[in-house]
Structure formats: C-alpha cells, structure tokens
Amino acid sequence: MVGRLVIVSTPIGNLSDFSDRAARTLQDIDIIACEDSRKTHKLLVLSGLKSKAKMISYHDHNGASVRPKLLAEIDSGKTVALVSDAGTPLISDPGYKLVAECHDQGFIVTTVPGPSAPLAALTISGLPSDKFIFSGFLPSNQKACETSIKDISSLPMTIIWFETPKRLLRSLTLLANILGPRLAVVARELTKIHEEVIRAPLPDLIAQFEKRETIKGEIVILVEGKKIDEANFDVVAVKSMLKEELQYQSLRDAVQVVAKKTKIQKRRIYQIAVELKTLIDTK
Ligand code: SAM
C-alpha cells in the first residue's frame, strides 16, 4: 500500500458546498489532519457522516512536532486528509510545509478541490480576473500594512486581501490614501445568509462602511490594479505585456490584446511592438 496526502476543501459558510467527493474522502480515510478537531467533527456530524478516521490536530503552533508523525503514517501506507477549518487548506491556512515534505519524500499528493474565499470573491467582484494577486491578510500593524500596500501599488492586476471586520475601515482608509480612488470591492459573508458584495471607488466604500454601527462577518477586499495612463504610460510595463502575448500569437493580435488591456492607442502599442519584435528576431 502506498500512502498519500489528500488536500480536501470544505465549505466557507454554506454546508451544501461540501462536495460528495470531499465527504466520501473524509468518510473513508485513515487519518484527518485538521486545524481544530471540534470544527471538523461538527462538519462531519452536520453532513451525516460517520468517519472512523483518526483526527490529528495540525496547526501553526504544533506543525513542527506533528509533521514528522503525519509523514511517518503516510510512509507506512496510510492516507492522510488535510482539512482546514473552512475553505481550501494552505490558503492563509496551514499545510504548505507538509505538502513540500511529502514531495521531498516521494509521497503522492492529491487534491479534492472546492470552495475558497479569494476565488469566490474574485469571480463576483466584476474586477479584471485575467491576472490577479492574492496577498493574504493585510498586516495588523499600521506601518507594515502601509508598506505592504505600497509594495503592490504599481502592479497592473487585481489585488485580493483578507481582512477582519475590526480593521476594515482602517485598511480601506490606508488603501485610499496610498492608491487613490481606485475601484474596489468588499465581499462579505460569502455563501452565507448575509452575503454582500459592495463595488465602488475606495472613498465611496469608506463612506458606506462609516455609516454602519457595526461591521461583522468574514471579509475579502479586492482592489483594481494600476491603470497604465495614456499620457504618461509605462513603456516597460507595455513591453513586458507584449513580450508575454508575442509568445503565443502574431504581432497584430498581441498589439490588439495589449491595446485593449491598457486602453492605449493601438498605433502607439504597434510602434513599441515592432521595435520589440525586431530586437527579439535579431537575438
Ligand atoms: N483557507 C480559507 C479559504 O480557502 O477560503 C481561508 C482561511 S483564512 C484563515 C480566513 C479568512 O478568509 C477570513 O478571515 C476572511 O477574510 C476570508 N473568508 C473566509 N470565509 C469567507 C466568507 N464566507 N466570506 C468572505 N470572506 C471569507
């Protein structure tokens, strides 16, 4: 018997999002490594599952000591499922080191994919989804938070963060101060009764949340990426976009795609593309 590790996603709020395959996996498996065994036990009970799996608590504080035990179980032929309290393990949740060590030791790592808050939020945000970056939780420390926003301020792609209700207004204010009136989205309580998606420029979002007596629930913040402005556009960024597009399409099509993305005149993109292509061809 060859052991393996299975990464199993669980619902982010709505029990009906627990897939059949995820349920069957947790029911039939030898060991479930979970952040909080009471939460995972509750999920199994609410789903009517009777799992004989041994539950082993695996989280940031005991990872170093529990990981060798999980690896030894897999080595002895057992199958271990890794679940987090909600959503997809490893996404701002434990698991990365366990997966890396499984690969290092030649064990099979497989997945039962499912809900995850950042992707769920992106798909309903109405912000560009062709390129995005997920940046985890915004730091609680104000200075660190400012630095982390400045670090991503010039990226031309949608940026996604987790935030707590307590810090939402602080973070929206820092985002507005540093990024200006960019279009942003607050996605709250996804898949739950009080699900809400508010899409507006950052200052308007602040105004809306300032009016509330309390802000509750689980929150994802998304902000549009930096727009390349026509009058003062970033040639280096345009070149790098063109380089990527030219890898799998004609110059004409690449120009079209980049002009559409940047909203810069096709003629100007074409000039840069011709120079770039000549450079590439003469290399
Ligand atoms: N691994 C999880 C996933 O794949 O979604 C994320 C775990 S992270 C520790 C928890 C954070 O995810 C919350 O503080 C919140 O920012 C976000 N989140 C989780 N569930 C959510 C929901 N239903 N609606 C909005 N945000 C959610």
Side-chain angles (χ1 to χ4, degrees):
M1 276 278 283
V2 182
R4 61 201 179 118
L5 176 69
V6 192
I7 305 299
V8 181
S9 298
T10 57
I12 55 169
N14 191 322
L15 196 58
S16 309
D17 295 335
F18 195 27
S19 75
D20 278 355
R21 195 157 85 88
R24 267 186 284 118
T25 303
L26 296 187
Q27 179 152 274
D28 300 341
I29 211 133
D30 303 312
I31 294 166
I32 301 176
C34 49
E35 279 188 275
D36 181 340
S37 53
R38 282 163 305 178
K39 289 197 176 148
T40 303
H41 181 72
K42 190 172 165 198
L43 171 71
L44 297 179
V45 170
L46 288 174
S47 312
L49 296 178
K50 287 197 178 76
S51 175
K52 286 198 215 84
K54 179 160 91 177
M55 290 226 197
I56 298 181
S57 168
Y58 181 75
H59 46 72
D60 288 340
H61 305 293
N62 72 358
S65 62
V66 173
R67 210 158 36 247
K69 292 177 194 155
L70 294 174
L71 293 165
E73 296 280 13
I74 297 172
D75 196 30
S76 74
K78 299 265 172 45
T79 302
V80 173
L82 176 70
V83 296
S84 51
D85 287 346
T88 298
L90 284 86
I91 307 302
S92 292
D93 271 336
Y96 148 68
K97 287 184 179 158
L98 181 62
V99 172
E101 288 198 29
C102 279
H103 283 294
D104 290 346
Q105 298 197 24
F107 301 145
I108 295 168
V109 182
T110 180
T111 177
V112 180
S116 193
L119 282 190
L122 178 68
T123 55
I124 56 171
S125 67
L127 294 178
S129 54
D130 55 340
K131 272 191 190 171
F132 60 89
I133 176 167
F134 168 59
S135 203
F137 277 96
L138 275 160
S140 56
N141 173 281
Q142 169 118 354
K143 265 265 150 291
C145 187
E146 281 172 6
T147 308
S148 109
I149 297 169
K150 281 179 191 152
D151 283 349
I152 53 76
S153 60
S154 61
L155 294 178
M157 61 192 71
T158 299
I159 306 130
I160 309 173
W161 290 278
F162 287 155
E163 191 46 290
T164 61
K166 220 173 88 194
R167 289 201 296 264
L168 178 67
L169 270 171
R170 180 236 34 189
S171 292
L172 290 178
T173 307
L174 289 179
L175 285 165
N177 290 345
I178 297 167
L179 304 177
R182 286 200 201 171
L183 186 58
V185 170
V186 171
R188 207 176 62 81
E189 293 290 88
L190 296 173
T191 76
K192 305 184 204 177
I193 298 170
H194 298 294
E195 175 174 301
E196 150 174 84
V197 183
I198 309 184
R199 182 174 184 268
L202 282 163
D204 298 3
L205 275 181
I206 296 170
Q208 291 202 38
F209 281 101
E210 269 174 349
K211 282 190 205 133
R212 300 196 182 182
E213 268 177 30
T214 54
I215 304 169
K216 288 185 181 157
E218 297 195 280
I219 292 169
V220 181
I221 302 178
L222 306 94
V223 180
E224 69 178 343
K226 185 178 180 184
K227 284 221 175 73
I228 297 167
D229 142 31
E230 164 98 39
N232 186 18
F233 73 85
D234 182 345
V235 179
V236 177
V238 168
K239 276 188 180 164
S240 115
M241 288 167 98
L242 276 168
K243 249 187 215 162
E244 200 181 318
E245 298 299 336
L246 281 168
Q247 283 174 29
Y248 42 86
Q249 59 196 324
S250 68
L251 185 130
R252 201 163 149 256
D253 291 342
V255 168
Q256 200 127 20
V257 172
V258 175
K260 200 167 162 206
K261 275 189 188 162
T262 58
K263 308 212 169 34
I264 296 170
Q265 271 188 343
K266 242 194 260 171
R267 190 177 46 81
R268 299 186 74 182
I269 304 287
Y270 186 76
Q271 284 167 349
I272 301 174
V274 171
E275 281 168 29
L276 195 68
K277 187 93 179 32
T278 318
L279 243 158
I280 295 170
D281 292 345
T282 51
K283 261 192 186 165

